[in-house]
């Protein structure tokens, strides 16, 4: 019982809930304050058949726009008690099996994308975008005979680019067991070729800053070091350096660590960024002449910058 205002008693009174009728009754005057109220608590009625016992499922799966029927199709189940009198006709069973094969294949792809995305720590929006890309490619051109792992990895790579959360091909490759870096690259070119109109307008240019924070996090760098690296990378975009954004980000991280108390080697940077040591060294040499105007003044003195080894 609880206290509710009764208009006849003109005061707060204790009420009694009649769950069978759905009525709320005043305990003082007997007035029905509310009728046919909805019980919002959990209900534990079992909708399972007698053979399967208790089944907590009450609804089907959510709507899936990738499936032909939205994932709302009905599957006629056969008898579970082994009785042959109520068995489904063979024609119905064949039709039902044949109709579910395309959706079954797509569901397997969705599951594979989800597994790879979880390994890379990607958010749900990137998973959904990768699912859409695969569905568009499959609708335009069948993907039979192609390495499905490579195609799925390529869809994830493009989805990351579209959501402005790019990952390197090496990072994508690390989450795939059945495809090489070259196969993923070929699959990526294949998808770009057939979805150039839709994808080309949505993919922007990759910048070194897109990878920087994640690389710094892998190295456990301090906030001030990360801020200095971000400012350095932003200034470096005005330079004409023919290096990939990934290698520039790795070189900047190396420079900032050399100017801090926690110095890192080329090997440490290479392990965190998956960029070869030689590539980091070459990018460092290209940036070295411009360091006095790239490194923030509040982070390092000009003398310390000049003392860096070339």
């Amino acid at each position: 019982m609880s206290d509710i205002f009764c208009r006849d008693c003109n005061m707060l009174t204790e009420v009694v809930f009649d769950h069978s009728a759905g009525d709320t009754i005043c305990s003082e005057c007997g007035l029905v304050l509310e009728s046919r109220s909805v019980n919002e608590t959990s209900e534990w009625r079992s909708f399972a058949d007698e053979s399967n016992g208790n089944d907590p499922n009450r609804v089907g799966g959510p709507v899936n726009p990738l499936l032909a029927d939205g994932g709302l199709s009905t599957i006629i189940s056969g008898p579970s008690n082994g009785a042959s009198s109520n068995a489904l006709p063979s024609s119905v069973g064949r039709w039902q099996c044949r109709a579910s094969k395309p959706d079954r294949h797509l569901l397997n792809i969705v599951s594979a994308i989800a597994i790879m995305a979880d390994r890379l720590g990607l958010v749900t929006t990137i998973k959904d975008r990768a699912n859409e890309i695969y569905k568009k490619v499959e609708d335009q051109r069948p993907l039979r005979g192609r390495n499905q792992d490579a195609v799925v990895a390529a869809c994830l790579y493009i989805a990351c680019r579209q959501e402005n959360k790019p990952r390197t091909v090496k990072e994508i490759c690390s989450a795939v067991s059945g495809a090489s870096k070259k196969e993923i690259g070929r699959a990526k070119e294949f998808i770009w070729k057939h979805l150039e109109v839709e994808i080309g307008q949505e993919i922007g240019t990759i910048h070194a800053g897109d990878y920087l924070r994640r690389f710094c996090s892998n190295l456990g760098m301090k906030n001030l070091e990360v801020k200095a690296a971000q400012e350095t990378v932003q200034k470096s975009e005005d330079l004409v350096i023919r290096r990939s954004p990934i290698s520039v980000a790795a070189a900047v991280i190396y420079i900032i660590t050399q100017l801090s108390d926690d110095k890192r080697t080329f090997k440490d940077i290479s392990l965190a960024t998956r960029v070869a040591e030689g590539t980091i060294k070459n990018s460092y040499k290209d940036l070295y002449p411009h360091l006095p105007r790239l490194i923030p003044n509040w982070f390092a003195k000009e003398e310390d910058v000049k003392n860096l080894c070339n």
Side-chain angles (χ1 to χ4, degrees):
M1 294 188 297
S2 61
D3 293 343
I4 295 180
F5 182 81
C6 176
R7 57 180 178 272
D8 278 10
C9 301
N10 198 25
M11 63 177 182
L12 291 174
T13 60
E14 291 187 350
V15 295
V16 179
F17 296 101
D18 184 355
H19 296 287
S20 60
D23 295 338
T24 303
I25 305 171
C26 176
S27 60
E28 297 291 337
C29 63
L31 177 67
V32 177
L33 301 177
E34 185 178 356
S35 61
R36 297 182 180 180
S37 58
V38 178
N39 184 3
E40 297 180 354
T41 60
S42 302
E43 61 92 12
W44 300 107
R45 176 185 172 189
S46 175
F47 287 85
D49 53 23
E50 297 180 357
S51 60
N52 291 336
N54 293 328
D55 182 6
N57 294 323
R58 287 161 174 75
V59 295
V63 176
N64 191 340
L66 300 178
L67 302 180
D69 53 8
L72 301 178
S73 60
T74 301
I75 297 178
I76 305 173
S77 61
S80 56
N81 55 5
S84 59
S85 58
N86 295 326
L88 291 174
S90 58
S91 58
V92 175
R94 287 195 304 270
W95 175 84
Q96 183 167 270
C97 180
R98 189 183 305 115
S100 61
K101 281 183 179 179
D103 287 349
R104 189 184 303 122
H105 168 71
L106 191 57
L107 289 175
N108 291 336
I109 295 297
V110 171
S111 177
I113 290 176
I115 293 173
M116 292 184 188
D118 291 339
R119 291 175 183 172
L120 294 168
L122 303 178
V123 295
T124 305
T125 54
I126 295 179
K127 298 180 188 178
D128 296 340
R129 182 60 67 94
N131 293 334
E132 293 175 5
I133 293 172
Y134 184 90
K135 185 66 165 61
K136 290 177 181 178
V137 177
E138 191 178 51
D139 290 343
Q140 290 190 12
R141 187 180 182 88
L143 297 173
R144 291 181 181 178
R146 292 191 171 271
N147 188 333
Q148 293 297 316
D149 289 335
V151 174
V152 168
C155 291
L156 272 177
Y157 175 84
I158 297 174
C160 290
R161 290 279 302 272
Q162 289 182 331
E163 295 296 326
N164 295 322
K165 301 293 182 182
R167 294 294 190 273
T168 64
V169 178
K170 288 185 178 180
E171 287 179 304
I172 299 292
C173 191
S174 66
V176 184
S177 57
S180 63
K181 181 180 176 181
K182 183 180 293 186
E183 290 176 323
I184 296 175
R186 290 174 180 172
K188 180 184 65 175
E189 296 298 329
F190 174 82
I191 295 174
W192 261 331
K193 180 180 178 181
H194 291 87
L195 297 181
E196 184 176 3
V197 177
E198 299 179 26
I199 294 179
Q201 298 176 351
E202 300 179 16
I203 293 183
T205 305
I206 297 179
H207 301 280
D210 297 333
Y211 303 98
L212 188 70
R213 180 171 289 275
R214 188 170 70 257
F215 291 164
C216 293
S217 177
N218 294 340
L219 288 166
M221 296 174 61
K222 299 177 182 178
N223 291 334
L224 285 178
E225 298 171 352
V226 175
K227 184 179 179 181
Q230 288 178 325
E231 290 188 20
T232 304
V233 163
Q234 188 174 4
K235 293 178 181 178
S236 68
E237 292 182 355
D238 298 332
L239 304 177
V240 180
I241 299 177
R242 296 183 179 180
R243 297 290 176 183
S244 68
I246 304 169
S247 59
V248 171
V252 168
I253 292 174
Y254 173 78
I255 295 169
I256 295 300
T257 57
Q258 294 305 305
L259 294 172
S260 65
D261 297 332
D262 187 13
K263 293 179 173 54
R264 303 299 179 94
T265 63
F266 284 113
K267 184 177 181 180
D268 295 334
I269 308 298
S270 177
L271 291 175
T273 61
R274 298 180 183 271
V275 180
E277 294 183 40
T279 304
I280 300 176
K281 292 179 181 179
N282 293 332
S283 299
Y284 170 71
K285 291 179 182 179
D286 292 341
L287 291 173
Y288 183 82
H290 310 282
L291 291 184
R293 62 190 183 95
L294 292 180
I295 304 299
N297 296 329
W298 57 264
F299 182 74
K301 299 179 180 179
E302 187 176 352
E303 296 179 359
D304 296 333
V305 175
K306 290 181 179 180
N307 291 334
L308 287 175
C309 297
N310 186 359

